[in-house]
Amino acid sequence: MKGIDLTGRVAVITGGARGIGRATAESLRDAGAKVAIGDIDTVHAEHTGKKLGIYGGYLDVTDPYTVAGFHGTVEERLGPVEIWINNAGIMPVGPILDQDDAIIARAVQINLLGVINGSRVAARAMAARGHGRIVNIASVAGRVPAPGMAVYNGTKFGIVGFGEALDAELAARGVRVSTVFPSFAATELIDGLQSTRGMEPVPPQEIAAAVVSVLRRGHRSAVVPAQLGLTTAAWIHLPRPVARWLSHRTGMDQVFLTADDRRRSYDSRIHKGPAT
């Protein structure tokens, strides 16, 4: 796919009030795009918007009507939306048999259905105009499964499959889809977790830079950090005993099963409302 010049293009970022979304908004703004962020946390969305000098407003990605309304508002204020970044997500961790039904449903609704809702609304307008770019923020968890991450893994694997199928379906109509695979991002998502060998926390600014690069260069995907690209792509093809051995050697077999008290605040927030 061809890269695009970001100057003057209207870009929307879901879950843009914090973390990766906020960093991406700042990077796209600095690259010359006209940026809008949406977030279920209206106060933080508006605050971040004012801080960055961009539009920030309420967006619940689980509700297609709200998504359509936000998209319409952005087009009225800034012009045709040419870039849509599906970033909103939550990361519940812990033994799958201990997780409650509500947080499992919420993770699926935000992480996967939210991407589908956003993509459908944005792609309808993009396809009608004959051009547009959608970037899905997945995770290396969309390639590498881990104990304690079954629900999160499931939603991120789903995002990867959905994005590939969407690109195949809409490429002929000028709408292209890319995927960014962050590793252990240095945001609230990893509060209370211990990083493992090869999983040092990645600053959200690095992930934001990858989004900008994917758009400018027309890349299908990007892994952050890049050195994990081949390993994560190959993981699903490893024999299970080998994968389990590597998981144990790196500590990945335990890191998402246990969390300390620092995670309580994040867990409480994702149960009640705002995504990150």
Side-chain angles (χ1 to χ4, degrees), residues 179-202:
T179 306
V180 173
F181 296 84
S183 180
F184 221 54
T187 67
E188 292 175 295
L189 269 70
I190 65 168
D191 281 356
L193 302 176
Q194 298 296 320
S195 60
T196 65
R197 187 184 308 171
M199 292 180 62
E200 290 75 18
V202 179

Side-chain angles (χ1 to χ4, degrees), residues 223-238:
V223 177
V224 189
Q227 60 263 32
L228 293 181
L230 288 177
T231 304
T232 57
W235 193 279
I236 200 67
H237 302 291
L238 296 174

Side-chain angles (χ1 to χ4, degrees), residues 118-237:
S119 297
R120 277 163 49 86
V121 168
R124 285 192 185 103
M126 291 174 179
R129 297 178 184 126
H131 62 91
R133 293 293 303 275
I134 295 170
V135 180
N136 296 327
I137 309 299
S139 166
V140 295
R143 288 180 168 180
V144 180
M149 292 274 279
V151 173
Y152 190 71
N153 280 137
T155 62
K156 294 301 181 177
F157 269 78
I159 288 171
V160 176
F162 172 74
E164 288 293 317
L166 187 65
D167 182 78
E169 183 172 335
L170 297 181
R173 301 179 68 180
V175 181
R176 304 308 306 267
V177 184
S178 300
T179 306
V180 173
F181 296 84
S183 180
F184 221 54
T187 67
E188 292 175 295
L189 269 70
I190 65 168
D191 281 356
L193 302 176
Q194 298 296 320
S195 60
T196 65
R197 187 184 308 171
M199 292 180 62
E200 290 75 18
V202 179
Q205 291 77 15
E206 263 187 60
I207 300 162
V211 173
V212 171
S213 179
V214 158
L215 289 166
R216 281 179 166 162
R217 299 182 182 185
H219 288 172
R220 176 180 180 176
S221 64
V223 177
V224 189
Q227 60 263 32
L228 293 181
L230 288 177
T231 304
T232 57
W235 193 279
I236 200 67
H237 302 291

